[in-house]
Amino acid sequence: MNDSIDLQPALTISGASCQGCARKIRTALAPLTGDTERVQVNLDDQTVALPAGTDLAEAARRVTEAGYPATPISPAAAAPAGCCAGKKDGAGTPGDGDGNHREQTMAGSTGQAAAEDQVALSVTGATCASCVSTIEKALLSVPGVTHAHMNLADNTATASGQADPQALVEAVASAGYGARVIENADEADERKQEQDRRHYRVSLIRMAASLTLGVGLMIWGMGFGSMMVTEANQTSWLALGALTLVVMAATGGHFFTGAWKAFRHHNANMDTLIALGTGTAWLYSMVVASMPEALPEMARHVYFEASAMIIGLINLGQALELRAKGKTSEAVRRLLDLRAKTARVIRDGEERDIPVAEVRQGDRIRVRPGEKLPVDGVIVEGATRIDESMLTGEPMPVSKSTGDEVAAGTLNTHGAIIYQATRVGSETALAQIIRLVKKAQGSKPAIGRLADRISAVFVPSVMLVAVVSALAWYNLGPEPAVVHMMVAATTVLIIACPCALGLATPMSVMVGVGKAAEYGALIRQGDALQTAGKIDLVILDKTGTITEGHPAVTRVHARDGNSQRLLALAAGLEQHSEHPLAEAILGKAQQDGVEAATVTGFEALNGRGVTGEFDGRPLRLGNRRWLEDQGLAFDDLDEAAATITAEAGTPLFLAHGDAVLGVIGVADAIKPDSRAAIQRLHDAGIRVMMVTGDVNATAKAIAANAGIDDYRAEVLPEDKANVVSEMRGKGYTVAMVGDGINDAPALAAADVGFAIGTGTDVAIESAAITLMRGSLHGVPDAIEISRATVKNIHQNLFGAFIYNTMGIPVAAGLLYPLWGILMSPILAGAAMSLSSVTVVSNANRLRLFRTSHQPARNASGPDPKPQKERN
Amino acid sequence: METLLVNAGGLALMAAIVWWFWLSGSGTKSSGDHQHHH
């Protein structure tokens, strides 16, 4: 991944989640490396690569001071496999500055520690925001873990660093939760689904058992007898108390064990509140039932039915929540369903169907019309049209023939083809997309982290509020004070459960990221999802973003009228280049039957042109500014150049020696939907700006045609990032949209970088969002989805906060002095369950979201399976 | 007497909650160590 030769992974860091962090780290290290360019921050792996010989201890100190705890990576772990094996018994190579350090760390290495790695765990028993922080804390306490993250929406936790997976499992287990290392993601998915289904059934059975008892007792109390303990019914109440205990243990035992485990680790969570609430009610009732005479007559009331009903309602809430949670991960499931099960492989001239897992790189695979492609590859025989809509959102099937790349999961609609596998298993574009979507779904935007921090102190605070309200009722309340204090404390504990708070963000993120994937926008981080909604300036790269990116020659104007020669010389130069403009010139030469001249000493000058040697004299093809800077004059070509630019073309001047021979016009057509997409951005109140290396007149023509507000022409690729920084400095929240390769610095400098991919090119590292479809519509789509998701998160958080802030005072009895209202603990249990169900349902509402452009193709995709699934 | 006992018990309980969850052991202190920004 690290393409700079002299940079190697040197530090593991934690907490760096966006390009802003990366910038801070680069700045912190610049004094050590001499230049921010010599520091590479990898946010995915949470590592920093530095030039060899950098003082790693000092570097780690600086990064830690910048706010990102860092540790030097042991070279034994960081070096490529095999490179150190031969050196095991030799001390550091002479002249190797950190030879000693290397030796020590190698000796200390157990061999088990891998390079900065991520271990994914499937976690059970986590129910609320407090659990999230407890689990993250437990993981961070394991030596070697640099970063830990728990996702409540799909109950997985990931730990980055060099820890032993078993130690991670034990840490989570000792914090009171179940954990298992996820080795095979597919298997884990299936296991989790099965687990969820079982959990759902168990929750329903528990609910039925406890509600039967609770409702039974309530009916008894209201209709046939009373809930007051008298001498006559004392024995019956004691027996019922014992029965309630049995039912509570059987249907709500998990709340009590969870609470106890959390308590032992000085933590409190949702289980704590439920256990305390129902436990208090039961214990009080048992005291009443066993020695009623010790209490005033009015206080001899039992609350066994409350304990049973609360546990029943919470079990019901959890069952409903599980059901709704299953629906949010539908986007990933739909992608998983795209995978073919078998492949028809031709080996040794023999065709046979084998499971897709057994397909090897280099295998030749036959695909008939109507079949799904099992792996990525290149067509070697035949031609067809391939429906890639499931991956790119592009509705029209794409024509493919020999030499073209095809991707796993796409559908062969037309002809039979044979293709050679280039990427199999987890390497396919589809597998990468699934990984990216899952990872982004699990990531937490800043807003979610705030909720987590609040809820970590929330539960103990609620316990304090419960005691305070109990004391207030005891001292100030009416008789029977003991009953009132018990009811108020129980109700406060039950109603305050922060489960809705914990679910608010991850649920919406999961649906939002899945929704974006449906529209062909891959969001890499939760932060990008949040920031994209705030964008008020979109900067567009021109070539390949607004335009097709396949320029064509529009005009060849030779000073001496010999346009064939002009084209031959230009083609001679450009045949060495890979620039899109070169393709256009070579295409034109080929089309006109012109043979390219033999040019030597080729050199490409980024943003200026190309140069070489022909006939002993320098041959230069490039823009006006460059050639004029070289002292050449060609005023007589002004008119031809003006015509070219007026047609939104780029004039390229060709000079041989000191003589300018002529000008070639190359124009890149605007994509048919660019204008509409830009209009959508305007409609959303966003300013649109274009940066291009083209001359002013060309840029102006394109800006006018595409409906762009503002443009910057003659910008060198390396200066695009400066334009982005400048606009951010003016207070804009900037999105940069580019093709992801030469725009990488600008994409990284923007608040949100959008890389326009070509179909399956998903592994674009520098962009926060990758658009799989070549269309600009992906930008407004992503922004609209982001806005809808953030709005959804706000609604959820607002709802959860309001519920808790309103619920607690009412439960504590604040309304009693005014209107005599005191909430029953049973109602509190129902309200609590309802709040989680509301949050989850609201997040699910996001699944129905449609952007202003067109319905997502995947939602009604051509793949029959997902449709069946929804029935 | 009873009032005094109940109130003292309540205050002691609150002190215990504060001590157990905030002041002793790993508690919530370490949540601050978890690096977050923005």
Side-chain angles (χ1 to χ4, degrees), chain A residues 15 17-18 21 67 69 136-137 140 148 263 265-268 449 456-457 460-461 463-464 467-468 471 474-475 527, chain B residues 2-3 6-7 10-11 13-15 17-22 24-31 33-38:
Chain A
S17 54
C18 67
C21 302
E136 287 179 351
K137 265 188 268 169
L140 281 170
F263 178 77
H265 290 85
H266 302 264
N267 287 315
R449 292 194 287 259
V457 292
S461 307
M463 288 159 72
L464 291 178
V467 180
V468 169
L471 287 182
Y474 183 77
N475 292 312
D527 269 332
Chain B
E2 187 198 289
T3 313
V6 169
N7 281 302
L11 290 175
L13 188 57
M14 285 164 71
I17 292 169
V18 171
W19 177 75
W20 185 256
F21 291 108
W22 275 289
S24 79
S26 55
T28 26
K29 276 178 290 175
S30 61
S31 71
D33 298 340
H34 194 93
Q35 264 307 312
H36 291 317
H37 67 114
H38 293 288

Side-chain angles (χ1 to χ4, degrees), chain A residues 248 252-260 262-263 267-284 306-307 310-311 314 458-467 485-497 825, chain B residues 13 17 20-21:
Chain A
M248 277 167 74
H254 54 296
F255 299 127
F256 288 86
T257 48
W260 171 241
F263 178 77
N267 287 315
N269 56 22
M270 164 176 159
D271 292 342
T272 313
L273 296 178
I274 297 168
L276 280 176
T278 56
T280 311
W282 182 82
L283 208 63
Y284 172 82
S307 300
I310 289 165
I311 287 177
I314 292 165
F458 186 76
V459 176
S461 307
V462 167
M463 288 159 72
L464 291 178
V465 172
V467 180
M485 76 186 265
M486 198 280 303
V487 169
T490 306
T491 316
V492 166
L493 290 169
I494 297 296
I495 205 161
C497 204
Chain B
L13 188 57
I17 292 169
W20 185 256
F21 291 108

Side-chain angles (χ1 to χ4, degrees), chain A residues 361-384:
Chain A
Q361 202 180 331
D363 273 341
R364 288 157 74 90
I365 300 155
R366 183 189 293 280
V367 184
R368 302 211 176 101
E371 287 179 342
K372 265 189 273 186
L373 276 67
V375 294
D376 290 1
V378 176
I379 299 181
V380 291
E381 207 181 301
T384 183

Side-chain angles (χ1 to χ4, degrees), chain A residues 666-697:
Chain A
V666 182
D668 187 0
I670 295 174
K671 285 180 194 167
D673 55 2
S674 287
R675 202 187 155 85
I678 289 164
Q679 185 55 45
R680 282 179 67 203
L681 289 172
H682 284 152
D683 292 345
I686 296 165
R687 226 177 125 71
V688 183
M689 185 174 168
M690 176 179 80
V691 285
T692 172
D694 283 340
V695 294
N696 195 49

Side-chain angles (χ1 to χ4, degrees), chain A residues 617-672:
Chain A
R617 278 183 296 159
L619 186 67
R620 287 168 285 190
L621 178 70
N623 63 33
R624 170 186 286 267
R625 198 167 73 172
W626 175 49
L627 290 180
E628 279 178 350
D629 285 348
Q630 307 263 313
L632 303 178
F634 38 93
D635 292 345
D636 55 318
L637 291 175
D638 276 357
E639 204 185 310
T643 319
I644 291 167
T645 48
E647 294 165 354
T650 305
L652 295 172
F653 298 88
L654 182 78
H656 189 208
D658 290 336
V660 176
L661 303 181
V663 59
I664 297 174
V666 182
D668 187 0
I670 295 174
K671 285 180 194 167

